[in-house]
Amino acid sequence: MKFNKLVSSSRRKNRKRLFSAPSHIRRKIMSSPLSKELRQKHNVRSMPVRKDDEVMIVRGHHKGQQAAKVIQVYRKKYVIHIERITREKANGAPVHVGIHPSKVSNELS
């Protein structure tokens, strides 16, 4: 059911808007849900992720680890980089794994 007749429901147009969105709109798209305590405190369900936020991964291969700090918000690729979440390249060099902000929970803000 469409709520706003001015917004297209076409998959093609929605993907175009997502991938050609400017940085200030990508900031809002890259929001993460808040923890239950923060949700009560701020009366809001999600907030845009910022550098130095404490987040906990709740979905995917890296879920269930301790809350860690966001070290980079990579708006161009729609991912965030979190400390201690790395993998090794073929030459042995460690590289940060990009995680989508919707797959983390914001713990401290």
Side-chain angles (χ1 to χ4, degrees):
M1 179 176 165
K2 260 176 106 164
F3 293 106
N4 187 348
K5 65 184 178 81
L6 299 175
V7 177
S8 172
S9 58
S10 164
R11 181 171 192 263
R12 177 183 185 177
K13 290 179 185 177
N14 280 311
R15 284 176 58 83
K16 180 176 180 170
R17 285 195 178 94
L18 178 73
F19 295 120
S20 62
S23 183
H24 72 283
I25 292 173
R26 286 180 185 232
R27 177 182 172 270
K28 282 201 80 156
I29 294 171
M30 293 180 68
S31 293
S32 73
L34 297 178
S35 64
K36 289 188 172 59
E37 303 86 45
L38 288 176
R39 207 178 291 176
Q40 292 287 328
K41 180 181 173 187
H42 296 295
N43 284 333
V44 68
R45 192 172 179 84
S46 64
M47 279 186 171
V49 179
R50 299 190 307 186
K51 186 178 176 181
D52 296 331
D53 277 356
E54 288 277 331
V55 296
M56 191 163 142
I57 302 171
V58 293
R59 292 281 182 273
H61 180 69
H62 301 284
K63 76 175 179 185
Q65 297 181 8
Q66 295 286 333
K69 219 179 233 189
V70 175
I71 55 173
Q72 183 184 22
V73 179
Y74 200 161
R75 288 186 190 171
K76 187 174 183 181
K77 290 187 176 180
Y78 284 109
V79 295
I80 59 175
H81 293 175
I82 302 170
E83 66 182 11
R84 299 192 308 267
I85 306 296
T86 59
R87 64 185 294 264
E88 281 193 3
K89 286 169 52 169
N91 65 2
V95 63
H96 288 285
V97 177
I99 295 172
H100 195 271
S102 66
K103 306 303 177 198
V104 302
S105 174
N106 215 331
E107 298 296 319
L108 295 172
S109 185

